[in-house]
Amino acid sequence: MSPATLSALTFVEPLPGLAPHTDFQLNPVDGAAGLFSLRPTEAPEIRLFVVDASVYTPGYAPDIAAPCRRIGLSSPQEARVLLVATADGASTTVNLMAPVLVNESTGASLQAILDGQGWPLRAPLGA
């Protein structure tokens, strides 16, 4: 996702723990390819970091066909897949169980919960 790409995202349902916010700004972090900050438009003091799965976890291939349809995509290959990153002391983990899916044409987004697929909630980044 280049700096010129879509930065306004609208979630079809609030992110867990961030209700009632559904409108967010996605901005690249300078000097870190594939790293973005995600902030609710109405509460910019709240910030999550997300990473582009294709950059940081190239082998990640969850079954996301059903949630992609909820954001207007006809195939999973059309989705931009972002992972919520959490820094905890000296390590950083990513949530592979609940990727953020983005329809880059419309900005429609969804955090998909992938129960039963065996993806971890906290996978070490770079493992």
Side-chain angles (χ1 to χ4, degrees):
M1 205 178 291
S2 71
T5 12
L6 186 68
S7 64
L9 304 181
T10 299
F11 283 78
V12 296
E13 58 189 46
L15 292 165
L18 294 178
H21 305 294
T22 56
D23 294 324
F24 284 75
Q25 290 297 311
L26 181 70
N27 295 303
V29 173
D30 290 338
L35 176 62
F36 301 88
S37 68
L38 182 65
R39 296 177 188 256
T41 304
E42 304 256 336
E45 68 279 5
I46 298 170
R47 177 180 64 189
L48 298 175
F49 286 104
V50 295
V51 297
D52 186 320
S54 68
V55 174
Y56 288 90
T57 56
Y60 179 59
D63 179 2
I64 56 172
C68 281
R69 287 191 291 275
R70 293 189 58 206
I71 57 170
L73 298 174
S74 57
S75 80
Q77 292 76 23
E78 297 173 336
R80 171 67 62 175
V81 179
L82 302 171
L83 304 170
V84 176
T86 303
D88 187 15
S91 67
T92 301
T93 61
V94 290
N95 183 344
L96 299 179
M97 182 192 274
V100 172
L101 309 177
V102 177
N103 178 331
E104 291 188 284
S105 297
T106 66
S109 302
L110 170 74
Q111 186 172 29
I113 308 301
L114 305 178
D115 286 330
Q117 292 191 32
W119 296 106
L121 190 60
R122 294 177 188 247
L125 190 59

